[in-house]
Amino acid sequence: MLKPLMLVLAGLALPGLANAQSLVEGEHYEVLPEAIETHVDEGQIEVTEAFWYGCPHCYNLEEPLNAWLAETPEDISFQRMPATMGGDWNKHARAFYAAEALGILDAIHDDFFHAIHEEGQRLTDSGDIADFFSDYGVSEEEALQALDSFAVKSRVNQANTRMRTMRLMGVPALMVDGRYLVTPSSAGSLANMPQIAEALVDKVREEREE
């Protein structure tokens, strides 16, 4: 029942937040105590989604988030960052970075979410993940090698460092320009999160023009 409700919220969300000046720090977003380095070209503004494949709220955010991304201007660089809080979170982070290394991330991302939340698959065992990946043009052996690779483990460690710097206690969350953090609580709903992120992008543009 959540998705139909979210569609209603998307149509009603934030009638008073048409621009960056309408945002209130501490109410609609938080400022990170320590800015996080971004990795974008000059003129680009990074928006990062912190998520966990096992999180139902992250799954339900995908629909309004993807709708927003389909309309975002070219100066927005969108990144996904799997949250690393130990256990199954880290196993899913390894799956994310392994899929990225194998060149199949775009193909599997939505399906991986769907398999967990609609089909009841856990996808935390390396063998199960490798079997899942094998439907996307890679062998199970290649998938297992990627899952256990040094490069993937390093990416998981890097994500963990960013998580600590962001001081995240849960997901989903959107981070704009390595400084501004939007959560479901600050946004008022999942459907509002992309809209507040967009207003924060406008805020960053204005700051850069000053």
Side-chain angles (χ1 to χ4, degrees):
M1 296 296 293
L2 181 57
K3 285 190 176 180
L5 175 61
M6 285 173 58
L7 292 176
V8 173
L9 288 172
L12 300 176
L14 302 180
L17 290 181
N19 53 57
Q21 288 75 25
S22 302
L23 295 177
V24 178
E25 180 184 339
E27 180 179 343
H28 302 119
Y29 68 96
E30 300 175 13
V31 178
L32 296 180
E34 179 183 349
I36 296 175
E37 182 181 4
T38 59
H39 302 280
V40 293
D41 295 333
E42 184 177 355
Q44 294 277 297
I45 299 172
E46 184 178 276
V47 177
T48 300
E49 176 200 17
F51 76 99
W52 173 39
Y53 279 122
C55 165
H57 300 300
C58 299
Y59 177 55
N60 287 316
L61 175 61
E62 286 299 291
E63 186 173 349
L65 182 61
N66 287 336
W68 175 68
L69 290 172
E71 303 295 332
T72 54
E74 293 183 356
D75 67 340
I76 293 179
S77 175
F78 179 72
Q79 312 288 333
R80 287 189 169 94
M81 185 187 77
T84 54
M85 294 187 180
D88 291 349
W89 296 62
N90 286 26
K91 293 175 182 177
H92 285 160
R94 284 174 57 205
F96 176 91
Y97 288 119
E100 184 179 62
L102 292 165
I104 60 172
L105 180 59
D106 290 344
I108 71 101
H109 181 73
D110 290 342
D111 293 347
F112 204 86
F113 258 131
H114 186 273
I116 292 171
H117 295 280
E118 303 296 340
E119 299 174 5
Q121 299 187 49
R122 287 177 54 83
L123 294 177
T124 54
D125 179 80
S126 293
D128 292 338
I129 296 171
D131 179 63
F132 185 90
F133 282 7
S134 69
D135 290 333
Y136 297 85
V138 300
S139 69
E140 290 190 33
E141 182 180 0
E142 289 173 321
L144 289 170
Q145 288 177 348
L147 286 164
D148 197 42
S149 68
F150 175 79
V152 165
K153 292 177 181 177
S154 295
R155 294 298 302 279
V156 172
N157 289 335
Q158 291 167 8
N160 190 46
T161 298
R162 292 193 108 197
M163 284 283 296
R164 290 198 304 270
T165 305
M166 292 168 70
R167 299 187 181 183
L168 279 182
M169 300 303 292
V171 288
L174 296 176
M175 180 176 64
V176 178
D177 197 39
R179 296 180 289 148
Y180 302 129
L181 190 67
V182 182
T183 64
S185 177
S186 68
S189 74
L190 294 172
N192 288 351
M193 290 177 67
Q195 297 184 54
I196 292 184
E198 181 171 0
L200 286 168
V201 167
D202 289 339
K203 176 179 173 63
V204 173
R205 292 192 188 104
E206 292 173 5
E207 290 170 345
R208 293 181 177 182
E209 292 175 355
E210 292 177 354

